[in-house]
Amino acid sequence: MQHLIDLDDYPVSWWNRIISLSKDIYTNPARYQGACSGKVMGTLFYEPSTRTQMSFQTAMLRLGGSLIGFDNPATSSVSKGENLKDTTKIVSGYADILVIRHPLEGAAKAAALTADCPVINAGDGGHLHPTQTLTDLLTLTLEKGRIENLVVGMCGDLVNGRTVHSLCKALSCYQGNRFVFISTPELGIPSYIKDILSAHGCEYKELSSLEEAMPELDVLYMTRIQSERFASVEEYEAQKNVYVLDKEKMKLGKKDLVVLHPLPRVDEITMDVDDDSRALYFKQARYGVFIRMALVLTMIEGRDTTQLLKGSVLRDVCCKNPKCITTREHYLPKSFRKSSDIAECEYCDERILL
Ligand code: NCD
């Protein structure tokens, strides 16, 4: 069975094929009408979504397929206490492809372990968001002309922003990309992402001032402060509105700067920036449909096999991340990748010192 949980499940050549296919769908939409006729997509959205959910739905409808699913677990049997395994097992028996978004990290992988059809991760807590990343790569390809040799600024909630984590991992696989992380110390980029960048030989620096970063950036990736992932309202209040991109700051940017944002925006970009030709976030959201059409087409045929767990269960070792799916769904095998004295949870990537 073929799943998309993390872009690392596939080689870069596969990502490039998805991007090329989505470009062809964008240019020749008529060619793909009806390509998924008779097929059903199941969307399991345990967390709110506008763009991801609707762009997947639009993708399936434009391919001639049909939809089932929920966008509010309170109206499904989840509210009666059904576990993720059973819900996935049942819906994957009705559908040909499943798209899942869940507040817990590693939930998409957990779902894929029991699904009878391909599973696509549409966001698992603060962890990963691979389909947004492919959308971002397509946007850069079409609007910037390249996904290599870029100075990429990432600004805002870098600790909880799953789109940031997936995009950093992906861009580190293309040549010559350099990263500037702009955040408060509390919302800094996780160390496991920094380690991945270092392992790929990518330079990065961490700044606290957006003004200081602006002049050198080719791409500015703004993000929302993720209120729902803070332990308390006070902690969120202390972080909100620290970084606001406005017309004045845009003056510090290059002429060919590209401003992206996975959206939704709260207050981090003022609305007068929308009229600047360098603000591409609305286009970016639209490109998401073509990426998701390419993904559905490729995955529903599903010729590959995704190996979901490659590590092993270690005696008496449990994941320490309270947001990991294994802390809630206790039947899951607690599988780890082990290297010397460190074990990495295979669901959420949390590291545990042994
Ligand atoms: C993002 C998400 O859900 O992670 N939005 C999206 O999918 N387009 C970003 C966010 O919620 O801030």
Side-chain angles (χ1 to χ4, degrees):
M1 193 88 60
Q2 179 169 0
H3 306 289
L4 175 58
I5 307 303
D6 181 342
L7 284 176
D8 287 354
D9 297 334
Y10 296 92
V12 177
S13 56
W14 187 88
W15 315 349
N16 292 338
R17 275 208 303 281
I18 297 287
I19 294 168
S20 299
L21 178 57
S22 60
K23 273 174 25 189
D24 195 57
I25 297 170
Y26 174 62
T27 326
N28 307 295
R31 216 180 269 169
Y32 296 89
Q33 268 170 21
C36 284
S37 145
K39 302 284 187 191
V40 175
M41 171 188 279
T43 54
L44 305 181
F45 276 69
Y46 291 77
E47 248 196 358
S49 172
T50 301
R51 274 148 293 274
T52 306
Q53 186 185 195
M54 290 192 194
S55 61
F56 263 115
Q57 292 172 340
T58 307
M60 194 55 172
L61 293 172
R62 290 207 186 280
L63 293 167
S66 315
L67 304 164
I68 56 169
F70 58 74
D71 57 9
N72 179 0
T75 61
S76 77
S77 284
V78 175
S79 67
K80 301 179 189 168
E82 186 168 63
N83 63 37
L84 181 63
K85 177 178 179 177
D86 292 0
T87 306
T88 311
K89 188 79 188 159
I90 298 303
V91 185
S92 69
Y94 302 152
D96 300 288
I97 190 157
L98 280 191
V99 179
I100 178 166
R101 169 170 286 192
H102 198 284
L104 292 176
E105 302 182 13
K109 182 173 278 189
L113 286 173
T114 44
D116 291 322
C117 70
V119 171
I120 299 181
N121 181 6
D124 57 333
H127 187 218
L128 296 172
H129 197 343
T131 71
Q132 179 65 45
T133 295
L134 289 169
T135 301
D136 301 340
L137 295 180
L138 173 65
T139 308
L140 290 174
T141 308
L142 293 174
E143 298 292 335
K144 193 77 195 159
R146 66 181 200 273
I147 38 185
E148 294 177 343
N149 301 316
L150 293 168
V151 180
V152 184
M154 307 259 185
C155 178
D157 191 344
L158 309 185
V159 71
N160 296 304
R162 54 193 171 198
T163 61
V164 168
H165 306 157
S166 283
L167 185 58
C168 285
K169 281 173 59 170
L171 284 175
S172 74
C173 296
Y174 293 90
Q175 270 216 322
N177 291 322
R178 201 148 61 72
F179 298 86
V180 184
F181 297 117
I182 308 135
S183 75
T184 59
E186 292 81 2
L187 300 185
I189 192 85
S191 52
Y192 90 92
I193 297 287
K194 291 194 235 175
D195 291 347
I196 291 172
L197 299 185
S198 303
H200 283 89
C202 292
E203 280 177 46
Y204 66 83
K205 64 180 172 190
E206 292 175 272
L207 295 180
S208 57
S209 154
L210 180 54
E211 285 90 336
E212 189 186 336
M214 280 306 274
E216 65 171 319
L217 304 180
D218 298 312
V219 179
L220 173 59
Y221 198 87
M222 291 296 294
T223 61
R224 170 179 75 91
I225 309 298
Q226 311 250 316
S227 53
E228 71 277 27
R229 307 204 196 282
F230 282 80
S232 69
V233 179
E234 293 72 35
E235 282 170 74
Y236 166 65
E237 295 282 333
Q239 298 293 331
K240 74 170 198 199
N241 296 340
V242 175
Y243 299 103
V244 178
L245 181 66
D246 57 17
K247 261 184 143 167
E248 279 308 300
K249 293 196 191 85
M250 286 298 282
K251 286 186 189 153
L252 303 170
K254 288 184 182 173
K255 279 203 178 64
D256 62 349
L257 169 74
V258 160
V259 180
L260 303 183
H261 191 313
L263 303 177
R265 140 178 69 187
V266 186
D267 294 315
E268 60 280 357
I269 303 182
T270 58
M271 283 165 91
D272 52 9
V273 174
D274 300 353
D275 302 326
D276 190 307
S277 59
R278 297 170 293 176
L280 293 182
Y281 28 89
F282 295 129
K283 263 190 170 174
Q284 178 189 1
R286 190 157 174 269
Y287 290 143
V289 173
F290 305 106
I291 275 292
R292 288 167 179 126
M293 285 173 84
L295 276 173
V296 171
L297 264 177
T298 306
M299 303 216 33
I300 223 159
E301 288 170 3
R303 295 203 185 92
D304 299 343
T305 304
T306 313
Q307 206 193 332
L308 293 163
L309 299 179
K310 304 176 191 120
S312 49
V313 175
L314 304 175
R315 248 188 75 194
D316 301 329
V317 182
C318 291
C319 184
K320 305 254 183 326
N321 172 8
K323 294 175 183 168
C324 178
I325 188 73
T326 58
T327 62
R328 202 70 58 84
E329 306 267 335
H330 299 290
Y331 54 84
L332 290 166
K334 295 175 182 52
S335 188
F336 296 89
R337 291 177 292 263
K338 195 171 172 286
S339 62
S340 59
D341 56 348
I342 290 191
E344 253 178 13
C345 173
E346 283 210 276
Y347 297 85
C348 72
D349 294 313
E350 175 86 358
R351 288 164 177 189
I352 296 148
L353 211 58
L354 296 172

